[in-house]
Amino acid sequence: MIRRFAALFALIAAPLMAQDITHTTLDNGLEVYVFEDHRASVVVHTVWYRVGAADEPPGKSGIAHFLEHLMFKGTDDLDAGELSATVTRNGGSDNAFTSWDYTAYYQRIAADRLPLVMEMEADRMRDLEMTEEDVATERNVILEERNQRADNNPGALFMEQRRAAQYLNHPYGIPVIGWKHEMERLTRKGAFDFYARYYAPNNAILVVAGDVDPDEVFELARLYYGPLEPTEGLTPRQRPSEPPQLSERRLTMSDPRVAQPYVARSYLAPERNSGDQETAAALEMLAALLGGAPTTSVLGQKLTIEDPKAVYVSASYDGASLDEGTFGLVIVPTPDVSLEDAEAALDSAIAEFLEEGLDPDHFARLKTQLRASRIYERDNVAAMARRYGAQLALGLTLEDIEAWPDILDAVTEDDVLDAARMVFDKRKAVTGWLMPEASAADEEMDG
């Protein structure tokens, strides 16, 4: 029954999964991608810069995110805040976000307002203006953001410490928002230097999705973005490489604000690369099988139902990066189980999985669910624009993106087990305990 349903689902899904994407590159290097969806008179306009927190100069952590904030100040033609106010006045919404590998800006608005938002976004690509007062104000804003999201959040601080232990040399070990002591010293000149180098058409990708005609979008792009000057001599990104990790790294963190102690472990894992996505696909399937659902996943069944040692367990794979990513595990023990016993139970469950192998029915159901989620995603043009934009900014091609569902479908049980044996190497792991207060267990782990 499952096989018949999966086959029928594949036949239904096949034509829907084909992406109606059109692409061109302007003379100044700007790449333009258009995704047509005429079901609603809405358009999503997104610009992706191939620069993020991992590209910041040493000692200036947080400057990529800082510049994201400053981009909402004025230009030679726009007053501070005018872009967002104009979008809102026209019934739309806008925002921006920064990652380690890219920075993106987007607007969602009625389709007939596309020329308006494109003109404003193009204006701030090269003509940003900011006063010293603007810089001081936004520096205080990002410091308060760090205070709220990180310094007042033990889980966020714990994650920062684990990433810093995972990446000794690579900038992925530095938080996107930045270290507070360096954020306090960010300057107008530093922000402008970063902006002038990286915010350029030859370092950007434009993705427009929604009720649009590709030829009209290309013409608008030539009109508004075409005259912008590229950055001369912009070279491919070069980052420090991570030295081989030879032994497991362990840490404990105590904070009286912690309500629920837990164990978190991350392993270095290969990223998803253009033309070579098979290992990433196997790791994606492994994460979904082990911990994709709280109760029906392998770890959920073993650790929360069959032998309840945990109230929550998860597995995740982060291969959406330019450089080496991570595979993560988390276990939150029941109140009567210590962190030491919870970690031992997690290790035992992983060992059992490697010995027992996969349940074929579970594997088939999972593939069907993943296929369905891809189809449902097409109902959200913003999600489509974001998925394509992010993956293109990470160096994947249209061919890579469109091949991904088939590559996932082609993953076999042996592929998943091979990926598990490869990634579950404690010599490449960081294991951390987060607890409400220091204890004898803390000292025992460190000793």
Side-chain angles (χ1 to χ4, degrees):
M1 179 66 180
I2 290 175
R3 290 180 180 175
R4 289 205 305 271
F5 176 74
L8 176 61
F9 197 94
L11 289 172
I12 295 172
L16 293 176
M17 292 305 292
Q19 303 300 332
D20 192 6
I21 298 287
T22 312
H23 165 246
T24 193
T25 301
L26 304 189
D27 291 342
N28 59 10
L30 178 70
E31 296 181 26
V32 185
Y33 296 84
V34 180
F35 169 56
E36 293 182 76
D37 186 332
H38 299 288
R39 289 175 293 179
S41 187
V42 173
V43 65
V44 176
H45 173 271
T46 66
V47 173
W48 303 76
Y49 293 97
R50 294 185 183 92
V51 64
D55 303 298
E56 296 166 338
K60 295 183 179 180
S61 64
I63 199 167
H65 175 249
F66 184 40
L67 179 58
E68 176 210 309
H69 278 246
L70 292 170
M71 284 287 285
F72 289 88
K73 298 302 180 181
T75 70
D76 54 349
D77 295 321
L78 296 170
D79 293 332
E82 185 178 347
L83 186 152
S84 293
T86 302
V87 171
T88 301
R89 190 167 59 248
N90 281 272
S93 60
D94 75 315
N95 213 326
F97 45 90
T98 306
S99 80
W100 280 281
D101 295 311
Y102 54 75
T103 311
Y105 301 82
Y106 72 88
Q107 299 86 30
R108 186 179 189 275
I109 202 163
D112 63 353
R113 303 295 197 276
L114 176 60
L116 175 65
V117 297
M118 190 178 289
E119 181 179 15
M120 292 189 296
E121 191 65 79
D123 185 35
R124 68 175 174 177
M125 180 178 282
R126 277 314 216 181
D127 291 330
L128 182 67
E129 293 183 351
M130 64 182 97
T131 65
E132 289 289 357
E133 183 179 356
D134 291 334
V135 170
T137 298
E138 290 307 315
R139 188 168 52 230
N140 288 333
V141 169
I142 62 170
L143 285 166
E144 180 57 28
E145 185 177 340
R146 176 175 173 92
N147 183 54
Q148 292 181 4
R149 295 187 178 183
D151 296 334
N152 285 327
N153 184 336
L157 290 174
F158 183 47
M159 180 178 291
E160 282 188 353
Q161 294 300 304
R162 287 187 288 113
R163 284 194 70 94
Q166 187 85 75
Y167 295 99
L168 296 185
N169 195 48
H170 194 284
Y172 284 167
I174 301 172
V176 170
I177 199 168
W179 300 118
K180 182 178 180 180
H181 67 286
E182 294 183 345
M183 295 166 65
E184 291 171 337
R185 298 198 300 268
L186 295 177
T187 65
R188 179 177 182 272
K189 181 181 185 305
F192 256 127
D193 289 346
F194 195 81
Y195 168 77
R197 178 170 179 79
Y198 294 112
Y199 278 54
N202 57 325
N203 199 43
I205 299 166
L206 171 64
V207 178
V208 178
D211 187 20
V212 292
D213 175 83
D215 290 336
E216 293 178 3
V217 174
F218 295 154
E219 192 59 35
L220 288 171
R222 293 185 189 99
L223 174 64
Y224 294 117
Y225 289 101
L228 303 180
E229 291 295 324
T231 293
E232 297 296 333
L234 189 62
T235 57
R237 289 189 266 195
Q238 296 182 352
R239 295 168 172 173
S241 59
E242 190 67 14
Q245 184 176 337
L246 304 179
S247 65
E248 182 186 15
R249 298 163 192 161
R250 300 180 66 85
L251 60 93
T252 61
M253 180 172 167
S254 301
D255 192 305
R257 298 169 295 181
V258 174
Q260 176 66 64
Y262 61 89
V263 178
R265 180 184 295 150
S266 58
Y267 303 81
L268 287 176
E271 72 279 11
R272 180 179 163 194
N273 289 314
S274 179
D276 182 16
Q277 303 184 89
E278 286 73 17
T279 299
L283 289 168
E284 189 90 7
M285 297 296 292
L286 175 65
L289 278 167
L290 287 180
T295 56
T296 60
S297 63
V298 171
L299 294 180
Q301 283 283 326
K302 288 180 179 294
L303 298 172
T304 69
I305 296 177
E306 295 174 8
D307 182 17
K309 291 285 197 303
V311 296
Y312 174 79
V313 63
S314 71
S316 60
Y317 167 57
D318 182 9
S321 56
L322 277 175
D323 302 313
E324 197 164 24
T326 57
F327 192 100
L329 300 169
V330 173
I331 181 169
V332 181
T334 57
D336 59 330
V337 174
S338 68
L339 293 181
E340 181 180 10
D341 288 342
E343 183 181 346
L346 180 64
D347 285 335
S348 177
I350 293 295
E352 288 175 6
F353 170 75
L354 291 173
E355 182 177 348
E356 295 168 356
L358 283 66
D359 178 338
D361 290 340
H362 184 194
F363 193 45
R365 287 194 301 271
L366 179 63
K367 283 193 173 185
T368 300
Q369 291 164 3
L370 292 175
R371 195 178 303 119
S373 70
R374 290 291 182 185
I375 295 172
Y376 296 146
E377 187 182 55
R378 288 179 59 87
D379 287 334
N380 187 329
V381 292
M384 291 298 295
R386 182 161 182 162
R387 180 162 71 90
Y388 272 80
Q391 294 177 20
L392 290 166
L394 291 171
L396 298 177
T397 65
L398 279 180
E399 292 74 19
D400 294 323
I401 299 169
E402 292 169 1
W404 180 244
D406 290 336
I407 293 174
L408 283 173
D409 274 343
V411 173
T412 66
E413 297 175 28
D414 286 342
D415 293 335
V416 173
L417 289 172
D418 287 344
R421 295 185 187 101
M422 176 269 296
V423 79
F424 292 136
D425 180 351
K426 279 195 176 181
R427 293 172 299 177
K428 297 182 179 181
V430 172
T431 303
W433 292 2
L434 180 63
M435 60 192 72
E437 57 185 358
S439 65
D442 185 353
E443 297 178 1
E444 181 180 330
M445 182 179 181
D446 289 339

